[in-house]
Amino acid sequence: MSTDATALPPIAVWQEQRRQLTALAYRMLGSWSDAEDAVAEVGAQLAALDAHAADVVQSWPAMLRTMTTRRAVDQLRSATRRRVEYPGEWLPEPIDTALLPDEEAEERELLELGVLHLMEVLSPEARAAYVLRHALQLPYAEIAQILELTTASARQLVSRAQRKIGDPPTRRADTESQRRYAYQLLEAIASGEVARVAALLHDEVSLHSDGGGHLSAARRPILGAEKVARFLIGTSAKHPDRKVFELALNGGFALLFEAPQRQDVVFFAQVHDGGQRVLIVCNPEKLGYLPTHRRVTVIQAGAEPG
């Protein structure tokens, strides 16, 4: 149970809310390590505050949200420039669900890797406004204050973001449905039949792969059910002895493919228009936050869900 934040010194409030602040920054940055850095810098700012500056703050939780958001926006501006030169497509960093704060289901939707990937097309300010509105349900006036905008400008930012990427999903598929789908797809891939795999994919599916220049990956999105099916079958044929595990990542379901000298985390993400994205993260620099305790059962193509 949280302590009354008004009764705590600023650094204690920061410590108590650190996980929530990191999740907020992660929604904006798509990188848990960068989010941790942003929140650590907020803590350093608090430690350097003089007593007079601290006394005028009316709400430390609100102030910490503001400081974290502004720091994340600054980092995102720099990151956006770096990602232009990234080798191939940049995908968000997958996170062990156990690292995330306890939240209501609807508040976790913006933690899904598919939604984080969609938000990459937004400007830093639009992404922050979208997150503050949909993840925290903040009023436009408060969003405007945090981003140092007018209320009308904040409302317009969120509206433009929604036109680009749509509203967040109202609910995710349940884990059991996702598992059944994964088993069907794995069995179809093992058969080597392109038509069988394609039949399980959305007609306008897109596949996005991130090797970060360290491992082989598709440098550009692969579009269409048949092309994605051929890619999945071809990748499987290259690693016939790989093992497949279930993981709880980003509040949802994912698969981990393990082969010698290689790990691939795979998400099957639904998007707001009813389409589908297959996201594959194999950049080893982005796999530092996977669960250490994995589901013991190994998924083998052709097996039934256990």
Side-chain angles (χ1 to χ4, degrees):
M1 183 179 296
S2 293
T3 310
D4 181 2
T6 61
L8 294 173
I11 198 68
V13 181
W14 171 82
Q15 187 63 51
E16 184 183 63
Q17 298 192 358
R18 191 168 186 172
R19 183 176 288 194
Q20 285 82 358
L21 295 172
T22 304
L24 171 62
Y26 173 65
R27 288 175 171 103
M28 298 177 196
L29 294 166
S31 165
W32 191 261
S33 52
D34 287 347
E36 288 183 323
D37 288 345
V39 174
E41 289 175 15
V42 169
Q45 285 180 268
L46 288 182
L49 276 182
D50 59 46
H52 175 72
D55 285 344
V56 300
V57 175
Q58 296 181 346
S59 169
W60 276 109
M63 175 58 77
L64 290 173
R65 272 199 308 270
T66 297
M67 295 171 72
T68 299
T69 299
R70 290 177 181 174
R71 183 61 201 144
V73 168
D74 287 343
Q75 283 190 216
L76 194 52
R77 289 192 185 110
S78 298
T80 300
R81 289 190 290 270
R82 292 197 305 273
R83 290 171 192 177
V84 170
E85 301 172 354
Y86 192 78
E89 189 167 6
W90 191 95
L91 295 183
E93 186 176 48
I95 299 300
D96 182 357
T97 295
L99 290 173
L100 302 175
D102 293 329
E103 296 177 320
E104 297 297 327
E106 60 270 18
E107 294 174 343
R108 282 201 165 189
E109 302 303 342
L110 291 194
L111 290 166
E112 290 186 8
L113 215 73
V115 179
L116 293 173
H117 182 227
L118 284 176
M119 288 196 288
E120 285 297 308
V121 301
L122 302 178
S123 71
E125 293 79 9
R127 184 163 179 165
Y130 187 86
V131 167
L132 293 170
R133 181 63 178 173
H134 288 294
L136 302 187
Q137 289 82 49
L138 295 186
Y140 288 108
E142 187 171 348
I143 296 171
Q145 185 177 27
I146 291 172
L147 297 177
E148 300 180 295
L149 303 168
T150 65
T151 300
S153 295
R155 189 185 298 272
Q156 192 173 54
L157 272 180
V158 175
S159 177
R160 286 176 178 170
Q162 287 176 186
R163 286 199 295 272
K164 277 190 173 183
I165 67 173
D167 291 321
T170 55
R171 66 181 183 86
R172 70 173 85 230
D174 66 271
T175 300
E176 190 54 37
S177 296
Q178 291 175 317
R179 291 181 71 230
R180 285 196 298 270
Y181 176 75
Y183 274 86
Q184 290 177 329
L185 191 59
L186 285 169
E187 189 173 356
I189 291 170
S191 76
E193 298 175 20
V194 173
R196 186 176 171 187
V197 177
L200 292 170
L201 300 169
H202 191 279
D203 288 344
E204 297 180 3
V205 64
S206 61
L207 183 145
H208 308 261
S209 184
D210 179 351
H214 301 285
L215 294 173
S216 61
R219 287 296 185 100
R220 295 182 179 179
I222 297 173
L223 307 177
E226 183 176 336
K227 288 183 179 179
V228 170
R230 290 185 185 280
F231 179 89
L232 293 174
I233 291 171
T235 300
S236 178
K238 290 178 183 177
H239 305 283
D241 297 327
R242 66 182 181 173
K243 295 180 179 180
V244 192
F245 298 89
E246 298 178 31
L247 294 183
L249 293 175
N250 291 71
F253 176 90
L255 295 177
L256 171 66
F257 293 81
E258 284 193 344
Q261 309 301 317
R262 184 182 182 107
Q263 290 183 314
D264 294 77
V265 172
V266 181
F267 291 81
F268 302 99
Q270 302 300 317
V271 296
H272 71 280
D273 60 359
Q276 182 186 31
R277 292 187 178 200
V278 180
L279 306 179
I280 304 176
V281 183
C282 53
N283 181 351
E285 294 181 351
K286 292 187 177 181
L287 301 181
Y289 295 95
L290 301 185
T292 53
H293 298 290
R294 297 169 186 164
R295 182 180 174 86
V296 175
T297 303
V298 178
I299 300 176
Q300 299 289 359
E304 291 296 323

